[in-house]
Amino acid sequence: MRKTWFGKAALIGALFASTSALAQATQTEDAPVYLIADQVFLDGEDLLVASGHVEARQGERRLIAEKITYDQTSDTLTIEGSIRLEDGSNTVVLADSAELSDDMREGILRGARLILEDQLQMAAVEMQRTGARYQQLSKVAVTSCHVCDDGKPPLWQIRARRVIHDQETRNIYFEGAQLRVLDVPVFYLPKMRLPDPTVKRARGFLIPEIVSSSTLGTGIRTPYFLPIGDHADLTVSPLLSAETKTVELRYRQAFYNGDIEINAAGSQDTLRQDVGRSYVFADGKFQLPKKFRLQFDIETTSDSTYLQDYDYSSKDRLDSALLLTRDTRTSSFGLGGTFFETLRSSEENDTQASRVGEARYELRMTPQAIGGEARLGLLMHEHVRDSRTDIVGRDVQRVASSFDWRRSWIVGNGFDFQLLGGATTGYFDLDDDSTLRERTDYTIPYASATLRWPLEAVGAQGGTHLLEPVIQLAWSKDDTTNIPNDESTDVEFDSGNLFSLSRFPAPDQTEDGLRANIGLGWTRWGADGSYSHLSLGRVIRAEKDNRFSGSSGLAGLESDWLFETQIGQVEGPMLTARSLLDDHLRLAKVEAQLGWEFNRGTLDATYLWLDKDAQEDRDREVSEWTLGANYQFADFWTGAVEWRYDLVDDYTSKAGLGLRYENECVKVDLSASRRFTSSDNLNPSTTVGLTVSLSGFSAGRSSGAVRQTCKT
């Protein structure tokens, strides 16, 4: 029968005084010590011996050995057998034998192996403990690869004459370090410092990346990470090749009420010789007192092609904005401004509405006398063009106030009846356009009545069906038909605005006259997790509204039929499609998307077709496929593909391939992409990238990677 011994707790407690860096936690130092062994006895007056499957515990710390001898005269511990020392925080020490001081702060472990975070292992002929801070290992092999007993070397290892683990700074110092791949020496460094796996933010070089571009040549990007206190950091990434000298910067800082991030770069290259090129993107958000929120973003670049030449962004219009908002249960406030900059060769910044400012306020009230909900709103807007040329340099200011009341009733056999009535009044002030009056006052009354009848049923196989017919009568009297359309040039007709009073995206335009919005929706939730949804709707007008474009689906007395569907699994593949069809079943717009997340990968495919429409600045039809997918085809291998194909011109506009190998000790990423499109200021280009990271250190930790196993 095994013995449990509680005596001489101070002596056995020395076993746990300093097992590792994480053993400095003081919360367990006062915990009772338990010693379990086949035999526990005193050998004379000075020797305490525990032998046979010895296990000592104090809190989360645990020591396992075959035999422990404590010499009270010399205050030393002699530990024999297969030693395993744990501290409850993913740090383990294994050894064949050890001779340590009674507090284990000094001493030697032979045949030692130090395992950090169940990932990085350091095997040494001898490990010497020097105080509670340092562990010194001699003749060391370091790796995070799974090592088998078949004599084969790990994929990589670092051999070193000496390694010192600083448990306070959590750094690992190497002397005479040699990196070996499959036991073949690759390079040698006399001294090297790396963070241990417990460090999340360590100063030093990150994983370098080899980049090859048809426009910028072959170069290497070597990021350097610099923590600035506990809440900020700076990453400096030089990119050097025969064609470019670039420095990339990323600065991040977290505050108690928000955060900011700045990304920037500066280049000298052969694409634009003797001209410095640069960009700055910055954004931030803050929670202010009294529920206010502040958001900002800054986007600027030195020239129109820099972002795409260096693959920083695919944006062809930049926007810098500042926004202050506050939303409560009864009110909503917003104040902001945006500066736009176009990078398109077909557009001029002087004639674009480059400066936009807006202020809005809405108050929600619940009048007790009449019930329902009343809303009071105020909106001020201005957009300015830098050009002073007549018409093309037009500036617009508008102020509007609105008041409406709405209420709903459940009547009859589940009918949902809603009423809405109100008016908007305001004025437009126009500059630099001689064809229009400088100031236009207007008042727009509006009203609507909506009737819904949701019907629910349970099918024979347990599925739930919901059928909902909806009809809405809406009316408004637009008094702004002579106002230029600056903000509502692109109109989208979908299920989100089928039952809106106006399909125009901005208040500078409002629908006019009497119309009926009708729709029918059907939804099914299957007991097996399947999901299906179909909806059909259209708009019928008493009078034509000629402000809508032909492909919008809203022109004429009767709009096109809006058809939308979703079919698939709640946790599985899902197909979403939307189209506009006229009475002759001719299409104006089609959009379909397939999304699928499964155990070994993801798939996202999209098809888009738009008819040509001069009112929407589209002089030719658009028809294209886009595809993005990744698939783990083996335990350690994952492939990725990106593809964009123009069906009108019958050519691929963009394509990319990626291949990743990842296990518990290494991650290799290989990518190649080709941009085929070209314009007056942008040429086709090909980019190839390669990164190799050794897992187990802070800069290259592996999370969730498949581990190798040994063959038996």
Side-chain angles (χ1 to χ4, degrees), residues 230-246:
D230 294 333
H231 309 292
D233 57 61
L234 175 67
T235 304
V236 183
S237 304
L239 172 62
L240 301 177
S241 74
E243 308 296 333
T244 182
K245 294 178 176 62
T246 298

Side-chain angles (χ1 to χ4, degrees), residues 660-685:
R660 168 178 291 185
Y661 176 86
E662 182 178 12
N663 58 23
E664 80 284 352
C665 66
V666 68
K667 181 170 67 174
V668 181
D669 278 304
L670 176 64
S671 62
S673 63
R674 171 71 175 174
R675 187 183 66 237
F676 295 90
T677 55
S678 62
S679 61
D680 295 338
N681 57 359
L682 193 64
N683 296 319
S685 65

Side-chain angles (χ1 to χ4, degrees), residues 28 64 101 269 303 396 416 441 705:
T28 59
I64 299 175
S101 61
D269 58 38
D303 56 79
V396 178
D416 182 2
D441 301 315

Side-chain angles (χ1 to χ4, degrees), residues 449-591:
T450 307
L451 182 65
R452 301 173 181 269
W453 192 20
L455 303 169
E456 185 180 61
V458 177
Q461 297 180 352
T464 302
H465 299 258
L466 177 64
L467 182 68
E468 185 178 41
V470 183
I471 183 169
Q472 180 186 67
L473 293 178
W475 171 85
S476 58
K477 181 58 178 177
D478 185 17
D479 194 24
T480 62
T481 54
N482 61 335
I483 298 299
N485 185 356
D486 272 2
E487 304 170 63
S488 299
T489 56
D490 295 326
V491 178
E492 288 291 330
F493 182 31
D494 56 30
S495 59
N497 60 23
L498 173 61
F499 300 103
S500 297
L501 277 171
S502 178
R503 256 68 56 164
F504 288 107
D508 64 338
Q509 301 291 308
T510 305
E511 292 190 49
D512 185 42
L514 180 65
R515 60 261 185 203
N517 306 320
I518 59 174
L520 178 66
W522 169 79
T523 304
R524 179 186 180 274
W525 295 272
D528 57 353
S530 60
Y531 176 81
S532 303
H533 173 76
L534 297 172
S535 63
L536 190 68
R538 78 183 313 180
V539 179
I540 302 174
R541 304 179 187 279
E543 299 178 2
K544 290 184 178 180
D545 194 330
N546 297 321
R547 290 172 295 171
F548 291 106
S549 65
S551 66
S552 69
L554 292 165
L557 290 175
E558 297 179 349
S559 74
D560 291 344
W561 285 100
L562 170 66
F563 175 79
E564 292 189 355
T565 183
Q566 272 190 303
I567 301 174
Q569 295 284 328
V570 175
E571 297 182 359
M574 184 69 70
L575 174 65
T576 303
R578 175 169 64 100
S579 64
L580 297 176
L581 302 91
D582 64 14
D583 290 333
H584 302 287
L585 300 183
R586 290 177 301 198
L587 295 171
K589 293 181 180 179
V590 176
E591 181 181 12

